Amino acid sequence: MKTFKIGGVHPNDSKISKDCAIEDFPVLEKAYLSMAQHLGAPAEPIVQKGDKVKVGQLIAKPSGFVSANIHSSVSGTVAAVEPYADLAGNPVMHVIIDVEGDEWEESIDRTPDIVREIKLSKEEIIKKIQECGIVGLGGASFPTHIKLTPPPGKVAEYLLINGAECEPFLTSDYRLMLEQPEQVLIGAKIMMKALDVTKCRFGVEENKPEAIAKLKTYAAQYPEIEIVPLKKKYPQGGEKQLIEALTGRRVPSMGLPIDAGAVVQNCGTALAVYEAVQKNKPLFEGIVTVTGNCSEQQRNFRLRAGTPIINLLDAIGRIPKDAAKVISGGPMMGKAVSNLLAATVKSSSAILMLTEEETKRKPESNCIRCGKCIDACPMGLEPYLLVRYSRNGMYDELEENKIYDCIECGCCLFSCPAYIPLLDHIRASKAEVMKIMRSRPKK
Amino acid sequence: MRKLIVSPSPHIHSVENTQRIMRDVIIALCPSLLVSIYFFGFSAIKLALVGVASCVAVEYVIQKYILKTQVTINDYTAALTGLLLALNLPPSSPGWMILIGSIVAIGVAKMTFGGLGQNIFNPALVGRVFLLVSFPVLMTDWSVPASWFREGVDAATGATPLALIKEGLSNGLTIEQIMAANPEISYVHMLFTKIGGSVGEVSALALILGFVYLLVRRVIKPTIPLSIIGTIFVVSGIFWLANPAQFTDPIFNILTGGVLLGAIFMATDYVTSPMSTTGQIIFGVGIGLLTVLIRYFGAYPEGVSFAILIMNMVVPLLNKYCKPARFGKEVKNGK
Ligand code: SF4
Ligand code: SF4
């Protein structure tokens, strides 16, 4: 079975919410829509206090090349356009809406019918995706229309769909593949058309046999899409790792997926693309797993962006007493939440609760030079060495040892028997090295 | 609102920790220890206890009273050094000698370099070699102390097979004649319990059992032991084919003189072995080569300890030049 070759780790699967069908999460009284729901420049609000808005109405426009539209996830009256604290408590511009009813834009096709025929042209598809504010739902939230427009001179050969869901606990993509397989496949077809490619590979890890079987059944109608089971190994869903697993090619150091002729999209993004292009529905909701070993309930919700995390947790019966950490995303790469009042965004994938015992870092001891961090690193780096250089501010050596290749997957820290906070150090000095590299005059 | 933990990702950790790894190595040594207790009786127990206790005590005293730093004896590394030292000594070693060995191993080879993870040489081997140089007579006294477990079983040979061969060769005998004169040097004896030698090398099978345990628990990778054993096999094989009267055969070389103990437990010490796979192969091949050369041409009948210590010196260099395979080639400027 296929997988990437270097490094990787095998954390416990913990997919305890895998059998929970997707449920619609109720719309609450207030929605808090962040203007920074994507990678790049925050969007600029185009509504004001007192404006009436409908579900799916455009409320903010991009403010730069890498930026995206934002649509309202609720209907009602704009209560405020003001800074509101995000996950980490930092103030970010939000549009806050008092919810009244649930009135959708008429242009959105809300019927359950599956629209198979792709009518739009390549250009129209990309324009539609841009209008609907689609961003990557695999973690980085990169605006999708940019990814579907390779820079001049670069040609895409493969569209790769990421259904690996290699992070423990997460089951949102799994439920999606199981419950809406055909929509996901049509979404992939649409992106193939946009990219002008004839080959599409859809990678799913072997721990999801039901999803693989389901997709294979539906993919019979779409022979250009090949469903590829992958060996279970983290970080299979990392772009570079997935490309190697599915095509055997390696993205060069400092390169982009397109340098290997590939464009990678998450399976959640494929659904969003389907809904945008075939159903005229902008991206304002998504599947979110709410889970944790300490939580009595495990759920997969279809959740509107702008729902405060605390309300989401309350809805499943308050946050468990022994939950010591709340994470937005998975346990390997997700972000720790310090402010439970912060709202979800359109690319939220999970809210995970961990107990102190599960998550508390043990005190750091001496590096025993066991090399486990090297064996775990999927980029072939030497984390112990990077940390030694980091501690001494040796940026030239860090650059020589390719610290910029680090994908921040956390495998090194996960494996280190001495509990050395490898990634903390590496992350900080990587930012520093990147700054130095950018500051050099370009040739 | 409650205060949440907000440390950055990753938020979970593998079950791995230093203590668990060291404990696993100690467990892996247990079969060998049990065999030697069966074989040497009380003296094996005494050696192991004194070794462990003195290494732990030395580390404690140095950390607590001299360096005044955190005491780390509960990571089991000092205990492991003590056990390894004990298993590398002749069964008749007196307790005070292993105490001196412990002081050298922990005090000199480990602590003066900065403690765990900083030392260049394998502490237990430094202790052993120090004793070998300082007390050559005691260190080559292979007489077998009486054992209460073993009445009625043949007493072991007084000398190690390697020493017998070395002596025989210097008296002008051929290997065949030496073997004929010493019927106790047989593979069956080496595999099970009856070769003369240090406490830990009594049974090859027990050591291999420990090796398998370490592999299963993913404590070590097979790279270093296999490259050492493979090299010894090939190099001694060449000599043996060239002149079977003068040189011992490859299997004999692998089963004697602490090769297995050294390859499995001493050369794989994390701190003093290279980090990358390429480095580990070079390291293993180097140890194998040096061992055979020391055995055939050196003054000592065996050579594993020296070979490992010599290769320990090369480790920083190997770490510097043998990098793991990076993911993806560099893109050239302007391409
Ligand atoms: S995993 Fe930790 S202890 Fe092992 S070499 Fe890397 S940093 Fe050192
Ligand atoms: S976080 Fe960076 S250094 Fe650590 S394993 Fe992942 S890629 Fe390697």
Side-chain angles (χ1 to χ4, degrees):
Chain A
M1 201 169 298
K2 290 184 172 162
T3 188
F4 55 97
K5 301 225 164 55
I6 305 180
V9 293
H10 297 93
N12 227 338
D13 217 12
S14 306
K15 307 265 188 194
I16 43 185
S17 53
K18 94 188 234 297
D19 295 324
C20 308
I22 300 171
E23 302 161 66
D24 282 319
F25 191 81
V27 182
L28 305 175
E29 278 164 26
K30 258 182 193 275
Y32 301 79
L33 292 155
S34 166
M35 293 298 104
Q37 301 200 26
H38 45 261
L39 194 85
E44 264 168 34
I46 55 164
V47 289
Q48 285 167 352
K49 187 175 171 186
D51 286 358
K52 293 271 178 211
V53 294
K54 289 182 182 171
V55 177
Q57 183 179 329
L58 186 69
I59 56 166
K61 287 204 147 145
S63 65
F65 176 67
V66 181
S67 187
N69 281 341
I70 291 173
H71 302 78
S72 179
S73 60
V74 293
S75 61
T77 313
V78 177
V81 178
E82 62 184 26
Y84 182 77
D86 72 0
L87 298 177
N90 301 318
V92 171
M93 193 54 82
H94 276 65
V95 171
I96 303 167
I97 301 170
D98 282 323
V99 177
E100 293 143 24
D102 192 27
E103 196 188 329
W104 289 47
E105 286 276 24
E106 279 89 52
S107 53
I108 303 173
D109 172 3
R110 297 184 68 189
T111 62
D113 312 337
I114 294 178
V115 186
R116 295 187 178 82
E117 189 192 345
I118 303 164
K119 292 207 187 84
L120 301 192
S121 71
K122 174 178 153 81
E123 290 73 22
E124 287 167 332
I125 290 172
I126 291 174
K127 193 156 155 267
K128 191 86 212 167
I129 288 172
Q130 182 170 11
E131 277 171 14
C132 287
I134 312 289
V135 298
L137 300 183
S141 316
F142 193 80
T144 303
H145 65 274
I146 304 178
K147 253 182 154 181
L148 291 178
T149 323
K154 312 254 177 183
V155 188
E157 221 180 297
Y158 287 102
L159 171 69
L160 305 178
I161 304 291
N162 178 3
E165 201 161 53
C166 58
E167 278 258 19
F169 288 102
L170 268 51
T171 56
S172 43
D173 286 350
Y174 170 72
R175 291 309 310 179
L176 193 66
M177 291 186 277
L178 213 57
E179 296 183 34
Q180 295 181 286
E182 199 173 1
Q183 287 92 324
V184 172
L185 291 172
I186 298 170
K189 284 278 317 178
I190 296 170
M191 289 192 276
M192 289 175 70
K193 186 164 177 187
L195 282 168
D196 237 337
V197 298
T198 52
K199 285 180 270 190
C200 172
R201 290 192 182 152
F202 194 140
V204 187
E205 282 194 347
E206 64 188 327
N207 59 346
K208 297 180 259 297
E210 302 91 337
I212 295 172
K214 197 84 172 226
L215 285 168
K216 278 197 169 154
T217 324
Y218 284 92
Q221 312 162 54
Y222 308 101
E224 333 66 67
I225 304 178
E226 188 189 340
I227 311 294
V228 186
L230 301 172
K231 225 161 126 182
K232 179 175 144 13
K233 186 158 83 169
Y234 175 87
Q236 191 100 251
E239 267 191 342
K240 294 183 174 180
Q241 281 65 36
L242 191 75
I243 293 170
E244 187 189 9
L246 288 176
T247 67
R249 299 180 185 179
R250 279 195 184 164
V251 177
S253 174
M254 298 290 274
L256 293 170
I258 194 76
D259 295 317
V263 171
V264 181
Q265 296 287 358
N266 183 267
C267 65
T269 317
L271 178 76
V273 164
Y274 164 83
E275 291 186 330
V277 175
Q278 307 294 74
K279 303 286 229 177
N280 218 359
K281 181 182 160 199
L283 182 59
F284 55 77
E285 61 179 7
I287 320 291
V288 174
T289 302
V290 184
T291 186
N293 286 319
C294 55
S295 169
E296 252 170 61
Q297 293 196 35
Q298 320 294 331
R299 306 288 269 276
N300 291 297
F301 288 121
R302 180 169 283 106
L303 181 76
R304 311 263 176 114
T307 309
I309 293 171
I310 187 87
N311 297 136
L312 183 62
L313 297 180
D314 281 349
I316 66 156
R318 290 214 71 82
I319 141 167
K321 270 208 191 58
D322 46 351
K325 197 181 214 178
V326 175
I327 296 153
S328 166
M332 294 300 289
M333 287 186 86
K335 287 200 175 62
V337 178
S338 62
N339 169 28
L340 289 176
L341 295 174
T344 60
V345 293
K346 53 191 176 187
S347 58
S348 295
S349 60
I351 300 295
L352 167 65
M353 289 164 280
L354 295 177
T355 61
E356 182 158 337
E357 163 140 16
E358 287 173 303
T359 191
K360 181 101 177 159
R361 291 201 186 160
K362 304 228 166 45
E364 171 181 357
S365 53
N366 283 5
C367 170
I368 51 170
R369 296 198 245 165
C370 63
K372 291 195 188 276
C373 52
I374 299 179
D375 292 339
C377 180
M379 298 308 292
L381 304 175
E382 294 160 286
Y384 86 99
L385 189 67
L386 298 179
V387 166
R388 197 188 298 161
Y389 289 147
S390 296
R391 286 192 163 132
N392 298 311
M394 296 160 78
Y395 297 121
D396 294 319
E397 285 78 2
L398 285 168
E399 190 180 336
E400 261 163 47
N401 284 282
K402 297 193 165 192
I403 192 170
Y404 47 78
D405 270 348
C406 168
I407 57 169
E408 304 188 18
C409 63
C411 291
C412 48
L413 176 40
F414 175 82
S415 315
C416 176
Y419 282 83
I420 295 167
L422 295 160
L423 181 52
D424 298 5
H425 291 286
I426 293 173
R427 203 183 267 126
S429 40
K430 176 183 156 190
E432 200 58 38
V433 169
M434 300 284 263
K435 210 166 89 196
I436 294 168
M437 289 168 73
R438 271 196 300 270
S439 71
R440 293 198 188 110
K442 293 222 167 53
K443 279 201 208 120
Chain B
M1 192 173 296
R2 86 167 85 190
K3 215 170 129 223
L4 295 164
I5 302 178
V6 289
S7 53
S9 66
H11 307 289
I12 50 174
H13 196 278
S14 67
V15 291
E16 213 85 76
N17 59 57
T18 305
Q19 205 183 16
R20 183 179 129 117
I21 291 173
M22 299 305 158
R23 195 174 53 214
D24 270 343
V25 182
I26 293 175
I27 293 173
L29 283 167
C30 282
S32 302
L33 187 63
L34 288 177
V35 171
S36 59
I37 290 174
Y38 169 75
F39 200 60
F40 300 122
F42 181 68
S43 49
I45 301 178
K46 181 190 77 186
L47 278 182
L49 285 180
V50 176
V52 171
S54 55
C55 278
V56 171
V58 172
E59 179 153 310
Y60 180 83
V61 168
I62 291 180
Q63 287 180 326
K64 178 108 185 181
Y65 298 107
I66 301 181
L67 301 175
K68 299 200 175 11
T69 56
Q70 213 194 333
V71 176
T72 57
I73 50 171
N74 54 3
D75 64 14
Y76 295 151
T77 51
L80 176 58
T81 302
L83 185 57
L84 281 173
L85 180 62
L87 293 177
N88 269 289
L89 297 183
S92 56
S93 307
W96 57 264
M97 192 170 84
I98 186 163
L99 185 67
I100 294 177
S102 303
I103 294 173
V104 173
I106 299 287
V108 179
K110 187 175 177 188
M111 287 305 165
T112 50
F113 284 90
L116 178 61
Q118 308 291 320
N119 46 304
I120 295 174
F121 299 106
N122 185 319
L125 279 183
V126 172
R128 172 173 195 263
V129 168
F130 177 83
L131 295 178
L132 190 60
V133 177
S134 313
F135 311 104
V137 180
L138 282 173
M139 284 296 286
T140 47
D141 171 9
W142 303 109
S143 62
V144 180
S147 155
W148 359 282
F149 298 104
R150 204 177 27 83
E151 252 174 321
V153 184
D154 324 326
T157 149
T160 67
L162 280 173
L164 286 174
I165 301 245
K166 192 115 205 162
E167 199 193 308
L169 287 175
S170 60
N171 291 340
L173 300 173
T174 67
I175 299 274
E176 220 175 332
Q177 289 164 328
I178 301 168
M179 293 284 192
N182 296 283
E184 69 274 18
I185 314 179
S186 83
Y187 297 146
V188 179
H189 285 186
M190 292 172 201
L191 262 180
F192 297 101
T193 53
K194 293 205 273 185
I195 60 167
S198 63
V199 177
E201 56 179 305
V202 186
S203 161
L205 212 60
L207 289 166
I208 292 170
L209 204 66
F211 182 43
V212 172
Y213 179 77
L214 291 180
L215 291 181
V216 170
R217 298 283 286 178
R218 290 173 191 271
V219 173
I220 59 169
K221 284 183 291 178
T223 324
I224 294 177
L226 292 189
S227 27
I228 295 177
I229 294 168
T231 307
I232 293 183
F233 188 85
V234 171
V235 178
S236 61
I238 295 171
F239 279 102
W240 176 67
L241 285 177
N243 187 355
Q246 281 299 311
F247 297 108
T248 44
D249 72 77
I251 296 181
F252 175 88
N253 272 297
I254 289 166
L255 291 180
T256 54
V259 165
L260 291 175
L261 184 62
I264 298 167
F265 291 99
M266 315 298 281
T268 54
D269 170 37
Y270 289 149
V271 178
T272 55
S273 64
M275 310 275 271
S276 72
T277 310
T278 343
Q280 291 174 350
I281 293 174
I282 299 177
F283 180 72
V285 170
I287 292 174
L289 206 63
L290 287 171
T291 303
V292 176
L293 295 181
I294 294 172
R295 278 190 182 177
Y296 284 162
F297 306 109
Y300 285 96
E302 47 126 332
V304 185
S305 302
F306 291 103
I308 295 176
L309 287 177
I310 293 170
M311 288 309 287
N312 280 165
M313 284 192 285
V314 190
V315 169
L317 217 64
L318 290 174
N319 280 339
K320 186 151 185 214
Y321 292 106
C322 301
K323 298 284 175 184
R326 311 282 196 209
F327 183 101
K329 290 196 194 65
E330 200 87 46
V331 219
K332 293 276 167 310
N333 276 343
K335 214 190 110 185

Short mmCIF file of all heavy atoms in Angstrom, two decimals, chain A residues 365-374 382-385 387 412-413 415-420 422, chain B residues 18 270 275, ligand 1:
data_model
loop_
_atom_site.label_atom_id
_atom_site.label_comp_id
_atom_site.label_asym_id
_atom_site.label_seq_id
_atom_site.Cartn_x
_atom_site.Cartn_y
_atom_site.Cartn_z
N SER A 365 14.11 16.83 29.80
CA SER A 365 15.37 16.34 30.35
C SER A 365 16.43 16.38 29.25
O SER A 365 16.16 16.84 28.16
CB SER A 365 15.18 14.93 30.91
OG SER A 365 14.61 14.08 29.94
N ASN A 366 17.61 15.87 29.56
CA ASN A 366 18.71 15.97 28.58
C ASN A 366 18.42 15.18 27.31
O ASN A 366 17.86 14.09 27.37
CB ASN A 366 20.00 15.42 29.18
CG ASN A 366 20.63 16.38 30.14
OD1 ASN A 366 20.07 17.43 30.44
ND2 ASN A 366 21.80 16.03 30.64
N CYS A 367 18.87 15.70 26.19
CA CYS A 367 18.80 14.96 24.92
C CYS A 367 19.69 13.73 25.04
O CYS A 367 20.86 13.84 25.40
CB CYS A 367 19.28 15.85 23.78
SG CYS A 367 19.51 14.97 22.23
N ILE A 368 19.14 12.56 24.78
CA ILE A 368 19.94 11.35 24.89
C ILE A 368 20.45 10.90 23.52
O ILE A 368 20.95 9.80 23.35
CB ILE A 368 19.16 10.20 25.57
CG1 ILE A 368 17.80 10.01 24.91
CG2 ILE A 368 18.99 10.47 27.04
CD1 ILE A 368 17.09 8.74 25.37
N ARG A 369 20.28 11.77 22.53
CA ARG A 369 20.77 11.52 21.17
C ARG A 369 20.28 10.18 20.61
O ARG A 369 21.03 9.42 20.00
CB ARG A 369 22.30 11.57 21.15
CG ARG A 369 22.80 12.96 21.51
CD ARG A 369 24.21 13.14 21.08
NE ARG A 369 25.11 13.31 22.20
CZ ARG A 369 26.43 13.20 22.12
NH1 ARG A 369 26.99 12.91 20.99
NH2 ARG A 369 27.17 13.37 23.18
N CYS A 370 19.03 9.93 20.87
CA CYS A 370 18.48 8.65 20.44
C CYS A 370 18.15 8.66 18.95
O CYS A 370 17.93 7.61 18.36
CB CYS A 370 17.22 8.35 21.23
SG CYS A 370 15.92 9.56 20.95
N GLY A 371 18.07 9.84 18.36
CA GLY A 371 17.78 9.91 16.93
C GLY A 371 16.32 9.66 16.58
O GLY A 371 15.96 9.58 15.41
N LYS A 372 15.46 9.57 17.59
CA LYS A 372 14.05 9.30 17.29
C LYS A 372 13.41 10.48 16.57
O LYS A 372 12.51 10.31 15.74
CB LYS A 372 13.28 8.98 18.56
CG LYS A 372 13.70 7.65 19.15
CD LYS A 372 12.74 7.12 20.18
CE LYS A 372 13.30 5.89 20.87
NZ LYS A 372 13.09 4.64 20.15
N CYS A 373 13.89 11.68 16.87
CA CYS A 373 13.33 12.85 16.18
C CYS A 373 13.71 12.82 14.70
O CYS A 373 12.92 13.20 13.85
CB CYS A 373 13.80 14.15 16.84
SG CYS A 373 15.57 14.30 17.06
N ILE A 374 14.92 12.36 14.41
CA ILE A 374 15.34 12.27 13.00
C ILE A 374 14.50 11.22 12.29
O ILE A 374 14.01 11.45 11.18
CB ILE A 374 16.83 11.85 12.92
CG1 ILE A 374 17.69 12.89 13.60
CG2 ILE A 374 17.25 11.66 11.47
CD1 ILE A 374 19.16 12.57 13.60
N GLU A 382 17.08 17.24 10.96
CA GLU A 382 17.62 16.75 12.22
C GLU A 382 17.15 17.67 13.35
O GLU A 382 17.89 18.57 13.77
CB GLU A 382 19.15 16.73 12.16
CG GLU A 382 19.70 15.75 11.17
CD GLU A 382 21.12 16.09 10.78
OE1 GLU A 382 21.30 17.06 10.03
OE2 GLU A 382 22.03 15.40 11.23
N PRO A 383 15.96 17.42 13.84
CA PRO A 383 15.38 18.34 14.83
C PRO A 383 16.30 18.62 16.03
O PRO A 383 16.40 19.76 16.46
CB PRO A 383 14.10 17.62 15.26
CG PRO A 383 13.71 16.82 14.06
CD PRO A 383 15.01 16.36 13.47
N TYR A 384 16.97 17.60 16.53
CA TYR A 384 17.82 17.83 17.72
C TYR A 384 18.89 18.87 17.42
O TYR A 384 19.23 19.71 18.24
CB TYR A 384 18.46 16.52 18.18
CG TYR A 384 19.75 16.19 17.47
CD1 TYR A 384 20.98 16.47 18.05
CD2 TYR A 384 19.74 15.64 16.18
CE1 TYR A 384 22.17 16.21 17.37
CE2 TYR A 384 20.90 15.38 15.51
CZ TYR A 384 22.12 15.66 16.10
OH TYR A 384 23.28 15.41 15.43
N LEU A 385 19.41 18.81 16.18
CA LEU A 385 20.47 19.71 15.78
C LEU A 385 19.92 21.12 15.57
O LEU A 385 20.53 22.11 15.98
CB LEU A 385 21.09 19.19 14.48
CG LEU A 385 22.36 19.88 14.02
CD1 LEU A 385 23.49 19.58 15.00
CD2 LEU A 385 22.75 19.41 12.62
N VAL A 387 17.51 22.38 17.07
CA VAL A 387 17.25 22.98 18.38
C VAL A 387 18.55 23.43 19.03
O VAL A 387 18.63 24.50 19.62
CB VAL A 387 16.49 21.99 19.27
CG1 VAL A 387 16.50 22.44 20.72
CG2 VAL A 387 15.07 21.86 18.77
N CYS A 412 8.50 15.36 15.53
CA CYS A 412 9.73 15.32 16.33
C CYS A 412 9.40 15.41 17.81
O CYS A 412 9.83 14.58 18.61
CB CYS A 412 10.69 16.42 15.91
SG CYS A 412 9.96 18.06 15.76
N LEU A 413 8.62 16.41 18.16
CA LEU A 413 8.29 16.60 19.57
C LEU A 413 7.44 15.43 20.08
O LEU A 413 7.61 14.96 21.20
CB LEU A 413 7.54 17.93 19.74
CG LEU A 413 7.00 18.35 21.09
CD1 LEU A 413 7.93 18.01 22.22
CD2 LEU A 413 6.72 19.84 21.09
N SER A 415 7.72 12.41 19.31
CA SER A 415 8.54 11.21 19.52
C SER A 415 9.62 11.37 20.57
O SER A 415 10.21 10.37 20.97
CB SER A 415 9.25 10.83 18.22
OG SER A 415 8.39 10.88 17.15
N CYS A 416 9.95 12.58 20.95
CA CYS A 416 11.16 12.78 21.77
C CYS A 416 10.99 12.23 23.19
O CYS A 416 10.17 12.71 23.95
CB CYS A 416 11.52 14.26 21.84
SG CYS A 416 12.91 14.57 22.93
N PRO A 417 11.79 11.22 23.56
CA PRO A 417 11.65 10.64 24.89
C PRO A 417 12.11 11.58 26.00
O PRO A 417 11.77 11.37 27.15
CB PRO A 417 12.55 9.40 24.85
CG PRO A 417 13.50 9.64 23.74
CD PRO A 417 12.82 10.55 22.77
N ALA A 418 12.86 12.61 25.64
CA ALA A 418 13.33 13.54 26.66
C ALA A 418 12.40 14.75 26.77
O ALA A 418 12.67 15.68 27.51
CB ALA A 418 14.75 14.00 26.33
N TYR A 419 11.29 14.72 26.04
CA TYR A 419 10.30 15.80 26.09
C TYR A 419 10.91 17.16 25.81
O TYR A 419 10.53 18.17 26.40
CB TYR A 419 9.59 15.82 27.45
CG TYR A 419 8.53 14.77 27.55
CD1 TYR A 419 8.84 13.46 27.91
CD2 TYR A 419 7.20 15.07 27.27
CE1 TYR A 419 7.87 12.49 27.98
CE2 TYR A 419 6.22 14.11 27.35
CZ TYR A 419 6.56 12.81 27.70
OH TYR A 419 5.59 11.87 27.77
N ILE A 420 11.88 17.20 24.92
CA ILE A 420 12.45 18.50 24.55
C ILE A 420 11.46 19.20 23.63
O ILE A 420 10.99 18.59 22.67
CB ILE A 420 13.81 18.29 23.87
CG1 ILE A 420 14.77 17.69 24.89
CG2 ILE A 420 14.35 19.60 23.31
CD1 ILE A 420 16.04 17.16 24.32
N LEU A 422 11.00 20.49 20.96
CA LEU A 422 11.71 20.69 19.70
C LEU A 422 11.00 21.67 18.78
O LEU A 422 11.58 22.65 18.31
CB LEU A 422 11.87 19.34 18.98
CG LEU A 422 12.76 18.33 19.71
CD1 LEU A 422 12.48 16.91 19.24
CD2 LEU A 422 14.22 18.67 19.50
N THR B 18 12.51 8.67 28.40
CA THR B 18 13.86 8.18 28.66
C THR B 18 13.85 7.01 29.64
O THR B 18 14.48 5.98 29.41
CB THR B 18 14.73 9.32 29.23
OG1 THR B 18 14.66 10.41 28.33
CG2 THR B 18 16.16 8.88 29.40
N TYR B 270 22.70 5.09 22.77
CA TYR B 270 22.30 6.25 21.95
C TYR B 270 23.35 7.36 21.94
O TYR B 270 23.70 7.92 20.92
CB TYR B 270 21.04 6.88 22.54
CG TYR B 270 19.78 6.09 22.39
CD1 TYR B 270 18.78 6.16 23.35
CD2 TYR B 270 19.57 5.30 21.28
CE1 TYR B 270 17.60 5.48 23.21
CE2 TYR B 270 18.37 4.60 21.13
CZ TYR B 270 17.40 4.70 22.11
OH TYR B 270 16.22 4.02 21.97
N MET B 275 23.79 9.27 14.75
CA MET B 275 22.35 9.48 14.69
C MET B 275 21.74 8.98 13.38
O MET B 275 20.63 8.49 13.36
CB MET B 275 22.04 10.98 14.79
CG MET B 275 22.71 11.66 15.94
SD MET B 275 21.77 11.50 17.44
CE MET B 275 20.74 12.91 17.36
S1 SF4 C 1 14.30 12.61 20.03
FE1 SF4 C 1 14.79 14.02 21.69
S2 SF4 C 1 16.31 12.91 22.90
FE2 SF4 C 1 16.18 11.84 20.94
S3 SF4 C 1 17.78 12.81 19.71
FE3 SF4 C 1 15.91 13.91 19.27
S4 SF4 C 1 15.96 15.62 20.70
FE4 SF4 C 1 17.43 14.15 21.45
#
